[in-house]
Amino acid sequence: MQISSRFRSVAVAAIAAAGVSIASAAHADSGTIRFSVYKAAFFIGGSGGEGTLTFHGKRYPISVGGVSGGLAFGASKTYFQGTVRHIRRASDVTGVYGAAGGGGAVGKGAQVIVMTNDKGAQLELTGRQVGLQVNADLSGISIALKR
């Protein structure tokens, strides 16, 4: 059985592309992130906050925001800290995390949240909350670097 040269070329190109993406993931790095979020809701809620990304020894100020809906009420402030993985540069942390951004917020253990943005950056966060907030999750947050 002979394999056509066209099929062989496509197969070689696919394998090369897979190798490049695996190599790219291997060169991705990680950093630490800390931020606080104020959240208030009465059925429709909003959140905002700020913090710092530390990447390759340099600190980058960030802003955090989001909107939520559903059965939610109360007000709270939550302090988060954790690791951001699969980034090559500080700007890879920017974007929308959670269901709206093509990823999902998943509770991992009692206090750990894992979220992914559209660039593949993954946040692994622990948090501590002050105040009363029903439905105090982080689904649908957006992170931006401050200038």
Side-chain angles (χ1 to χ4, degrees):
M1 180 175 144
Q2 289 189 349
I3 298 174
S4 74
S5 63
R6 183 178 186 143
F7 178 76
R8 191 174 323 147
S9 297
V10 169
V12 168
I15 291 168
V20 168
S21 66
I22 290 170
S24 297
H27 293 293
D29 210 346
S30 64
T32 60
I33 192 164
R34 292 177 179 262
F35 59 92
S36 58
V37 175
Y38 292 95
K39 187 169 184 179
F42 188 74
F43 293 102
I44 296 176
S47 61
E50 59 187 13
T52 305
L53 165 69
T54 304
F55 184 63
H56 289 180
K58 189 171 178 186
R59 296 169 53 102
Y60 299 88
I62 59 170
S63 61
V64 180
V67 176
S68 62
L71 183 58
F73 64 90
S76 67
K77 180 176 184 180
T78 308
Y79 301 92
F80 290 98
Q81 64 182 21
T83 304
V84 58
R85 300 184 192 286
H86 312 298
I87 60 174
R88 290 193 197 109
R89 55 192 161 276
S91 61
D92 288 346
V93 78
T94 63
V96 177
Y97 292 79
V106 179
K108 180 179 169 187
Q111 293 286 326
V112 178
I113 299 170
V114 178
M115 304 171 78
T116 304
N117 73 5
D118 60 338
K119 297 173 190 164
Q122 183 182 66
L123 294 177
E124 294 178 10
L125 303 170
T126 60
R128 140 179 97 77
Q129 180 176 311
V130 177
L132 175 62
Q133 176 81 33
V134 175
N135 191 25
D137 65 317
L138 270 184
S139 59
I141 68 162
S142 175
I143 296 179
L145 291 176
K146 288 183 175 182
R147 303 268 168 177

